[in-house]
Amino acid sequence: MDTPVKIVGPAFSTFVRSVLIACEEKGIPYEVNPEVNGKKLSFGDKELFDFHPYGKVPVLITEFGNISETSSIIRYLDSLNDDNKLYPADAFDKALVDQWSALISVYIDQAIVRNLLLEYAFPKGENGSVRMDKIQEALPGVLKALGIVNKQVEGAAFICGEQLSAADLVLIPMLDYLQKTPDGAGLVEGYPAVSGYLSRVRERVSVRKVL
Ligand SMILES: N[C@@H](CCC(=O)N[C@@H](CS)C(=O)NCC(=O)O)C(=O)O
């Protein structure tokens, strides 16, 4: 595949980063945040609603058409070649990857990204300050999410066993940002299996290139 796929969305978005790591793993050429009709699209731009009914990113523009929703995009990219497969061949194992991708992109994203990280990234307090009450409110959910991930990677290298999968790609950018927040390193340290998992995945060339 020589024609680069185009990934609509800013490279700082966690879900965009998941797709970028997928492209790196698969060796698929890509262009990130391309101009669409002469304009680079930002959150909230009305043009995004032409690609996604809720105006969300990432969107993948291919020579055949457009795909939105991170897990669907990763599944498509994985089907393009046999390198570093991100879904197992077995139907049951594949369903587990879908299950974990959904759990992470819905519940863990809400707990870590929406409730905590976005308050640090786009503070809504007085004079642009971080609302510490919101951070405190978010903490139980973050700890719960870390506990869930910790249990999952306690006896395995990755979320769904010994092979990196789409589920890891959805999760990695969230944990990476979390660990880089003021209290994040301390929080992650409390979950040794998560800490080890993060160190392990950060050794991958694909992850190093994107994060
Ligand atoms: N379910 C979507 C979620 C995508 C999502 O929430 N993207 C965020 C960026 S990380 C977004 O577009 N935010 C802009 C907005 O909500 O207006 C997926 O899996 O791709």
Side-chain angles (χ1 to χ4, degrees), residues 8 10 31-32 47-48 54 67 102-103 112 131 159 204-205:
V8 177
E31 191 186 338
V32 64
E47 291 89 341
L48 283 175
Y54 290 94
I67 307 173
L103 288 169
I112 294 182
R131 294 173 300 179
I159 288 291
R204 297 183 82 87
V205 175

Side-chain angles (χ1 to χ4, degrees), residues 35 42 45 56 90 97 153 169 203-204 209:
E35 287 196 349
S42 306
D45 282 348
K56 304 282 185 193
D90 178 78
V97 172
V153 294
L169 271 44
E203 283 169 11
R204 297 183 82 87
K209 271 193 175 168

Side-chain angles (χ1 to χ4, degrees), residues 181-203:
T181 60
D183 307 317
L187 289 178
V188 173
E189 240 171 62
Y191 295 84
V194 179
S195 224
Y197 169 78
L198 253 182
S199 309
R200 196 154 54 246
V201 295
R202 283 195 179 123
E203 283 169 11

Side-chain angles (χ1 to χ4, degrees), residues 111-112 137-146:
I112 294 182
E137 267 172 41
L139 282 181
V142 172
L143 296 180
K144 180 171 179 171
L146 286 172

